[in-house]
Amino acid sequence: MAQKRGFNLLTVMKEYSLITVGCVVYVVGWLIFLVPCNLIGGGVTGMSSIIQYATKGAIPMGYSYFVINVFLLILSMLVLGKGFGFKTIYAIILSSVMLNVGQDLIPESIVESLAYENGNLICVIMGGILSGIGVGISMDQGGSTGGTDIIALIINKYRNMPPGKVILMLDVVIVSSSLLFPSYTHSGELVPLMTKITNVMYGMVLTIIVGNVVDLYISGSRQSSQVFIISRKYEEIADCIVNELHRGVTALDGQGWYTRADSKILLVIVRRADLKMILRAVKSIDPDAFLSVSSASAVYGLGFDTIKGIKARK
């Protein structure tokens, strides 16, 4: 129903711009709400935070985040292709720099008012939401902020398993491993064992929030709409949708039962983000056209998703 759009500079700029936004949102969630409170999360960022806490800040998060992701990048380029690899390289380098530089750039007053004064639970919720949105934006553009996101995308390539659920399982292991290492605050004080256990519980809540936000964002951005169009100007409308909007159209035979007159019914399936564009085009050609719009939770085929994990019969 949809045709593949051509590869062009504007598309590339849009994708990398959105990946940049995703990285910024992701890093802000960590540096404002999670790191100041010595909270642990999942993924490579979680491992990097454990290393930073254990070394009293001698090894900032950005360095370990970059090194660990280099190994995962090699795997992603082999399995997911070079296009994914370049986008992820950009996201990882950008996130690594921001994780190091951002800790000194963010004013202490902002951290004080948004994190310290609101308690760990609010920090977990806000940090989890921002991190999940950041990951979701990057993954939706074919990239990744690295770490367990890469593993999730590799599994998702072959199985219809929600990325958020894969990230959740891996992150539980990472968060639990923080109990095996010492943890120091910014002032150099050793975090007591009971506080670490509490932080692990917060970390579990954080991984659940991040995983669900990622799934909600991706499923929402990939939802499609099914549009039935009945109009006497169906030929003009179909030509406009195909030639000007570059979307697919199927013409179905129909008959008005009251008038007994034969007619054509146009069927168009588009991403929800493109729905308004279709509606405007139809109304500009025939304001009296009859339209029926419904949600399509899953669409497989050319221009949409592919069915994974099922071998075709020979």
Side-chain angles (χ1 to χ4, degrees), residues 140-219:
D140 191 51
Q141 297 304 313
S144 167
T145 53
T148 51
D149 308 348
I150 295 176
I151 300 175
L153 286 177
I154 291 174
I155 294 176
N156 184 252
K157 179 179 180 180
Y158 301 103
R159 291 286 183 270
N160 286 319
M161 184 179 295
K165 296 299 183 291
V166 179
I167 294 173
L168 174 60
M169 292 185 290
L170 296 172
D171 288 353
V172 166
V173 176
I174 295 172
V175 172
S176 301
S177 69
S178 65
L179 292 173
L180 303 176
F181 303 93
S183 181
Y184 296 90
T185 64
H186 287 290
S187 59
E189 298 178 358
L190 181 66
V191 177
L193 177 60
M194 293 307 298
T195 302
K196 288 179 63 178
I197 293 175
T198 302
N199 286 344
V200 168
M201 295 298 103
Y202 281 129
M204 297 297 182
V205 175
L206 176 64
T207 58
I208 294 173
I209 293 174
V210 173
N212 281 279
V213 171
V214 169
D215 284 342
L216 286 172
Y217 183 91
I218 292 179
S219 63

Side-chain angles (χ1 to χ4, degrees), residues 70-233:
V70 165
F71 295 100
L72 292 173
L73 266 177
I74 296 174
L75 179 63
S76 72
M77 294 182 72
L78 292 174
V79 178
L80 300 174
K82 294 182 179 180
F84 173 87
F86 290 139
K87 292 177 182 178
T88 304
I89 289 173
Y90 171 75
I92 288 174
I93 293 176
L94 181 61
S95 298
S96 300
V97 172
M98 288 192 296
L99 282 170
N100 277 356
V101 176
Q103 296 189 58
D104 297 324
L105 291 180
I106 297 177
E108 186 68 22
S109 58
I110 293 179
V111 177
E112 180 74 29
S113 60
L114 295 181
Y116 296 142
E117 293 182 2
N118 291 312
N120 286 357
L121 181 58
I122 296 298
C123 289
V124 166
I125 295 174
M126 294 302 300
I129 291 175
L130 290 175
S131 298
I133 292 174
V135 172
I137 293 173
S138 298
M139 293 179 70
D140 191 51
Q141 297 304 313
S144 167
T145 53
T148 51
D149 308 348
I150 295 176
I151 300 175
L153 286 177
I154 291 174
I155 294 176
N156 184 252
K157 179 179 180 180
Y158 301 103
R159 291 286 183 270
N160 286 319
M161 184 179 295
K165 296 299 183 291
V166 179
I167 294 173
L168 174 60
M169 292 185 290
L170 296 172
D171 288 353
V172 166
V173 176
I174 295 172
V175 172
S176 301
S177 69
S178 65
L179 292 173
L180 303 176
F181 303 93
S183 181
Y184 296 90
T185 64
H186 287 290
S187 59
E189 298 178 358
L190 181 66
V191 177
L193 177 60
M194 293 307 298
T195 302
K196 288 179 63 178
I197 293 175
T198 302
N199 286 344
V200 168
M201 295 298 103
Y202 281 129
M204 297 297 182
V205 175
L206 176 64
T207 58
I208 294 173
I209 293 174
V210 173
N212 281 279
V213 171
V214 169
D215 284 342
L216 286 172
Y217 183 91
I218 292 179
S219 63
S221 64
R222 292 183 179 178
Q223 276 193 336
S224 301
S225 294
Q226 180 176 273
V227 185
F228 286 102
I229 305 168
I230 302 176
S231 170
R232 293 180 179 178
K233 300 180 180 180

Side-chain angles (χ1 to χ4, degrees), residues 26-42:
Y26 180 75
V27 170
V28 165
W30 270 91
L31 297 187
I32 292 182
F33 295 100
L34 303 178
V35 174
C37 299
N38 272 74
L39 294 171
I40 306 295

Side-chain angles (χ1 to χ4, degrees), residues 43-66:
V44 173
T45 317
M47 289 187 281
S48 300
S49 66
I50 293 174
I51 295 174
Q52 177 172 305
Y53 301 154
T55 59
K56 299 182 180 181
I59 304 178
M61 293 174 62
Y63 293 121
S64 54
Y65 178 88
F66 179 79

